[in-house]
Amino acid sequence: MMIPFVLSPVIGGIIGYYATAIGFVKPLSVYLPWTTPPFISGFLASGGDWKVILIQIIIIVITTLFYIPFIKIAEKVAQKSVSINN
């Protein structure tokens, strides 16, 4: 699980960077506490750009899909260890 844990923020950062670089969303201009919930944080940090919420949804979906193969592998390993111990 280390690979998706390390690479998911990188993937999200790259998506956010390019969305800003091509002008799809406004640059973030307001600093918010890290505890601000998703969607609200992006909307407020961008000064009210609703497209940031769309980018956040895309990032969450892509990083979730990125985790799925690793979760399946972890399940297989866990099932093998349970069958070996029984």
Side-chain angles (χ1 to χ4, degrees):
M1 299 305 281
M2 180 97 161
I3 294 170
F5 182 77
V6 172
L7 292 181
S8 289
V10 174
I11 292 168
I14 290 170
I15 293 169
Y17 172 80
Y18 281 110
T20 306
I22 66 171
F24 182 72
V25 296
K26 290 194 261 180
L28 302 181
S29 58
V30 179
Y31 181 76
L32 297 171
W34 67 271
T35 55
T36 307
F39 313 128
I40 295 171
S41 63
F43 183 76
L44 294 175
S46 67
D49 187 3
W50 65 270
K51 292 181 282 186
V52 175
I53 297 171
L54 178 65
I55 294 297
Q56 284 183 313
I57 292 169
I58 291 169
I59 290 170
I60 289 171
V61 168
I62 289 174
T63 54
T64 300
L65 292 173
F66 184 65
Y67 261 92
I68 290 174
F70 296 94
I71 291 171
K72 290 186 182 212
I73 291 169
E75 286 177 351
K76 287 180 184 178
V77 169
Q79 287 175 352
K80 285 183 182 179
S81 67
V82 168
S83 65
I84 291 172
N85 292 333
N86 288 334

